[in-house]
Amino acid sequence: MPDFEAHLAHRMRQLRPSTIREILKVTAQPEIISFAGGLPAPELFPLLDVGAAAQRVLSARGADALQYGPSEGFMPLREWIAAEMGGRGVLADAQDVLVTNGSQQVLDLVGKLFLNPGDVVLTENPTYLAAIQAFQTMEARFVPVPTDGDGLVPDWLPGLIAQHRPKFLYTIPNFQNPTGVTLAAHRRRELARIAGEHGLTIIEDDPYGKLRYSGVDIPPVKHWDEAGCVIYASTFSKTIAPGLRLGWVVAPRGLFSRLLILKQASDLHTSSFDQRVAFVYLTQSDHVAHIERIRRAYGERFGVMDAALREEMPTGYSWTHPEGGMFLWVTGPAELDSLELLSSAIKRQVAFVPGRDFFPGEGGTNFMRLNFSNSTPERIRDGVRRLGALCRCL
Ligand SMILES: Cc1ncc(COP(=O)(O)O)c(C=O)c1O
């Protein structure tokens, strides 16, 4: 047997299994109330409509749907996405849209596109765990941008750019994962301006923008991107279903062909069948009403979790109040070790994600990410009661 360890690429030395994936294995047991995963509510999946769309695709264009397809994606779906981008305040042509296997693949592709070992990526602090993982695969170094309740603070950027010469800034402006925080409109405009002035590439990751349940929509950073600095990624994972693995990227013209080469090398193309099913679903079902149902349910679930936390958590704990998305972020007392708390919590059959792994640098032991989209209101109340009891005993 070969000495696999000795033969592994250098990049494997710094890669660790995702804590979330490990936790999810434990929390898959039905008796555990899990606030851990980033899972949408399965009872809200549009099962009947997607089933009807799949039937229609198979009976009308079955052979095409099961054949290889273009790497760019299924053109009618790209056109639909381009129109959708218009609704989000971004002028895009179907030719600018590359269909991907979820937005996670966009992170993989942009990592390959830009990063050599040791290159710097600017991120919010904390940031999305699997983005850290994707860029770590390319041996990136992370430099966090100071962040507050309105998202990252653009004033820091000129100094950080001068000092670290980053390859790009990765940001999640809407209902960020893990904090639920939204980047304020004036900061988005400022971010786009600074990026233009300093030649900074921005990766704007927007999986949650359509899931706003209070407040008013804010256009993406790309809306203000006159200089062509922003690569925008989004997904159908939260608005249709993540199992379809359908996302997209809108890239400035000069980069599209490069991304396309990487996409081809990676997997040739995203599933022809899934793309056609999604297209038929989007154009022949009431997708808008479906998103409205999701928004209402998540807004209600956030309200239930917020009220339960107010009732159950001892003093010294605070949490964010997101206006959309699927997560809130709890800050505990400085001495809290949320990883240790998790082992006691699992014994009481409730789970969350400890904050530590969302920080690309040091710190972060006294935070927890709680998901509110995947549990019913009853289970949210019950789970927060168990969590609160544990925190009161610390
Ligand atoms: C910020 C962020 N980016 C990307 C993704 C990946 O989503 P997808 O299912 O589209 O790959 C997620 C999933 O939770 C996410 O939270």
Side-chain angles (χ1 to χ4, degrees), residues 76-214:
L77 182 63
R78 295 170 74 202
E79 284 165 353
W80 188 95
I81 292 169
E84 163 70 19
M85 291 300 303
R88 296 183 189 194
V90 174
L91 274 183
D93 193 87
Q95 305 289 341
D96 306 323
V97 175
L98 174 64
V99 180
T100 56
N101 286 316
S103 44
Q104 190 65 34
Q105 187 176 40
V106 180
L107 305 183
D108 178 55
L109 297 182
V110 296
K112 288 175 178 160
L113 184 64
F114 289 114
L115 298 174
N116 291 315
D119 280 347
V120 167
V121 174
L122 299 177
T123 64
E124 282 138 4
N125 197 32
T127 188
Y128 174 48
L129 184 60
I132 299 178
Q133 216 177 26
F135 304 146
Q136 246 168 8
T137 307
M138 302 314 296
E139 302 177 74
R141 282 192 301 126
F142 295 91
V143 173
V145 181
T147 310
D148 63 20
D150 277 337
L152 63 84
V153 185
D155 295 354
W156 286 89
L157 287 173
L160 291 172
I161 294 167
Q163 190 183 346
H164 298 285
R165 310 241 157 260
K167 281 294 181 68
F168 57 78
L169 164 77
Y170 169 72
T171 180
I172 309 155
N174 288 315
F175 327 123
Q176 199 238 19
N177 183 359
T179 60
V181 161
T182 290
L183 185 65
H186 64 279
R187 290 195 179 173
R188 296 182 189 211
R189 206 176 314 122
E190 183 60 2
L191 184 54
R193 190 194 64 73
I194 292 173
E197 193 176 312
H198 294 265
L200 174 70
T201 300
I202 295 176
I203 313 300
E204 178 172 27
D205 188 9
D206 186 20
Y208 303 108
K210 299 296 281 185
L211 303 186
R212 177 179 280 281
Y213 47 71
S214 64

Side-chain angles (χ1 to χ4, degrees), residues 45-331:
F45 288 152
L47 274 184
L48 291 178
D49 287 342
V50 172
Q55 274 306 333
R56 229 168 283 151
V57 166
L58 282 175
S59 46
R61 306 300 296 240
D64 292 339
L66 297 179
Q67 189 53 279
Y68 284 113
S71 299
E72 293 87 339
F74 178 50
M75 189 41 114
L77 182 63
R78 295 170 74 202
E79 284 165 353
W80 188 95
I81 292 169
E84 163 70 19
M85 291 300 303
R88 296 183 189 194
V90 174
L91 274 183
D93 193 87
Q95 305 289 341
D96 306 323
V97 175
L98 174 64
V99 180
T100 56
N101 286 316
S103 44
Q104 190 65 34
Q105 187 176 40
V106 180
L107 305 183
D108 178 55
L109 297 182
V110 296
K112 288 175 178 160
L113 184 64
F114 289 114
L115 298 174
N116 291 315
D119 280 347
V120 167
V121 174
L122 299 177
T123 64
E124 282 138 4
N125 197 32
T127 188
Y128 174 48
L129 184 60
I132 299 178
Q133 216 177 26
F135 304 146
Q136 246 168 8
T137 307
M138 302 314 296
E139 302 177 74
R141 282 192 301 126
F142 295 91
V143 173
V145 181
T147 310
D148 63 20
D150 277 337
L152 63 84
V153 185
D155 295 354
W156 286 89
L157 287 173
L160 291 172
I161 294 167
Q163 190 183 346
H164 298 285
R165 310 241 157 260
K167 281 294 181 68
F168 57 78
L169 164 77
Y170 169 72
T171 180
I172 309 155
N174 288 315
F175 327 123
Q176 199 238 19
N177 183 359
T179 60
V181 161
T182 290
L183 185 65
H186 64 279
R187 290 195 179 173
R188 296 182 189 211
R189 206 176 314 122
E190 183 60 2
L191 184 54
R193 190 194 64 73
I194 292 173
E197 193 176 312
H198 294 265
L200 174 70
T201 300
I202 295 176
I203 313 300
E204 178 172 27
D205 188 9
D206 186 20
Y208 303 108
K210 299 296 281 185
L211 303 186
R212 177 179 280 281
Y213 47 71
S214 64
V216 286
D217 282 332
I218 306 174
V221 180
K222 188 147 183 69
H223 172 74
W224 285 285
D225 177 32
E226 286 169 16
C229 299
V230 179
I231 298 174
Y232 177 94
S234 191
T235 179
F236 292 113
S237 285
K238 321 295 176 179
T239 53
I240 309 180
L244 288 173
R245 306 308 302 128
L246 285 177
W248 70 89
V249 57
V250 177
R253 286 267 154 93
L255 284 180
F256 188 91
S257 56
R258 304 293 178 94
L259 281 167
L260 188 61
I261 296 170
L262 291 168
K263 168 79 181 161
Q264 280 165 349
S266 171
D267 59 8
L268 301 183
H269 64 81
T270 293
S271 156
S272 311
F273 179 67
D274 288 6
Q275 291 186 74
R276 283 172 185 268
V277 170
F279 176 71
V280 170
Y281 162 76
L282 289 163
T283 50
Q284 298 191 16
S285 304
D286 196 346
H287 182 55
V288 175
H290 172 65
I291 292 181
E292 200 43 51
R293 265 194 300 280
I294 301 176
R295 281 185 183 154
R296 233 178 298 121
Y298 291 3
E300 183 199 349
R301 289 173 189 201
F302 163 71
V304 169
M305 185 172 270
D306 180 43
L309 286 166
R310 267 187 275 133
E311 230 160 80
E312 303 292 341
M313 296 305 270
T315 49
Y317 287 79
S318 59
W319 52 93
T320 54
H321 293 80
E323 295 186 328
M326 311 195 328
F327 308 104
L328 60 80
W329 182 244
V330 178
T331 306

